[in-house]
Amino acid sequence: MDNLSGGPFGLYGVTYLWLFAGARWIATFLHVNNYMLLPFVAALGVLTENFIFFGVFVFLTEYQFPENALKTFAEQILWAIFTGVFFLMVFYHIYKKWDEWLLDRQAAKQEGNGV
């Protein structure tokens, strides 16, 4: 992603590392079953990513915000609000199916060993 965006090397990796760490912390009290809260969580993730992205640019260079930066922020947040809940539900469904598959596989493996 750094090559495609023209961003400083490692910017996306560091951004997603911090988002992953934040998500692990948030997951302690936020549950995916709350469908009313999910769009705002997705929008908050997009907003956080944009703040980190542009914050690094401002910190490392004399970069000034383009005229359409606020419009772009608003569009991305609206897309996250309206589509984020669907993506999160799909990811949750895939996670559940994957977990069931692993449990079935583990049970089959234990039956095969005679345990």
Side-chain angles (χ1 to χ4, degrees):
M1 286 304 297
D2 295 329
N3 290 336
L4 295 175
S5 71
F9 180 71
L11 174 64
Y12 277 95
V14 170
T15 300
Y16 287 114
L17 176 72
W18 280 107
L19 287 174
F20 176 75
R24 297 287 287 179
W25 173 73
I26 288 173
T28 59
F29 59 88
L30 179 69
H31 300 285
V32 179
N33 295 336
N34 189 347
Y35 296 116
M36 296 301 290
L37 190 59
L38 283 181
F40 300 106
V41 171
L44 182 63
V46 169
L47 186 64
T48 303
E49 182 182 1
N50 281 325
F51 278 139
I52 292 171
F53 184 77
F54 282 106
V56 168
F57 273 169
V58 169
F59 183 71
L60 294 178
T61 64
E62 305 254 341
Y63 183 82
Q64 295 184 358
F65 289 112
E67 297 172 4
N68 62 351
L70 291 177
K71 179 182 176 239
T72 303
F73 282 172
E75 287 176 0
Q76 289 180 353
I77 290 171
L78 287 173
W79 272 106
I81 287 173
F82 292 115
T83 63
V85 68
F86 299 112
F87 284 115
L88 291 173
M89 288 170 45
V90 166
F91 291 147
Y92 181 67
H93 180 71
I94 291 170
Y95 172 77
K96 278 184 15 181
K97 291 296 182 186
W98 180 265
D99 203 29
E100 289 172 8
W101 178 76
L102 286 177
L103 288 174
D104 290 344
R105 186 174 174 202
Q106 185 179 22
K109 193 176 199 182
Q110 287 179 350
E111 287 176 8
N113 290 335
V115 177

